[in-house]
Structures are given as structure tokens and as C-alpha cells.
Amino acid sequence: PIWGTADNGEKVTVEFNVSNRQVYTLEMIDIDGKLIKTVYHGSLHEGLHIFNVDVGSVQTGIYFFSVSCQDGYYDSIVVVFRN
């Protein structure tokens, strides 16, 4: 599983563990399924990986962070909110 936590509406920290070395893609997707940004695409080694994602330019809303690899994919929901 992946975890996403918002911080003041300006960044989101996304964390996930990988069990084997392979190519992974981390994407931010809006509620309509539109790709907002590809955060990372490349090889990752086993263990915990943490990405700080700048969300200062996106509107308040619900977003999905998706991690995909040849073994499948995992999603996490994050709400971006600004006062």
C-alpha cells in the first residue's frame, strides 16, 4: 500500500514500500482520471521510498496517487485543501 499525507496544501508526502527491484511509476491523477503529473518513473530498490510532491499549483480537490510496476498497481487518495 501507499500512504499520502498533505501538508498545508502545498506539498504531499507519498510513502510506499517495494519488495523487489524493478521499474516503478508514481503518478498524480485527478478525480476524473486525468493525469496531473508523473512524479517518478524509474528503477527502485527494495525498501521504503518517500516522495515529497509539490501540489501548490493544483486546485483544492481529491486526487489519487498511483504506483505501478509490472506486478500491478496501488492507489492512495489524498485531499488537497487550502483555506
Side-chain angles (χ1 to χ4, degrees):
I2 63 176
W3 298 271
T5 55
D7 178 20
N8 296 326
E10 295 299 320
K11 74 173 184 171
V12 171
T13 301
V14 179
E15 301 179 29
F16 57 94
N17 277 301
V18 300
S19 58
N20 56 10
R21 185 179 184 94
Q22 60 182 303
V23 174
Y24 291 86
T25 302
L26 172 60
E27 297 175 322
M28 181 179 183
I29 301 163
D30 73 10
I31 194 74
D32 296 320
K34 178 183 172 192
L35 176 66
I36 301 301
K37 65 170 72 179
T38 299
V39 177
Y40 180 82
H41 177 79
S43 181
L44 294 174
H45 56 81
E46 293 178 16
L48 177 66
H49 296 273
I50 300 171
F51 293 86
N52 293 309
V53 183
D54 178 8
V55 294
S57 64
V58 300
Q59 296 180 347
T60 294
I62 299 172
Y63 296 89
F64 297 91
F65 282 90
S66 176
V67 175
S68 60
C69 63
Q70 69 184 22
D71 295 337
Y73 70 94
Y74 304 93
D75 290 322
S76 178
I77 298 174
V78 173
V79 176
V80 174
F81 178 78
R82 290 185 193 76
N83 292 331

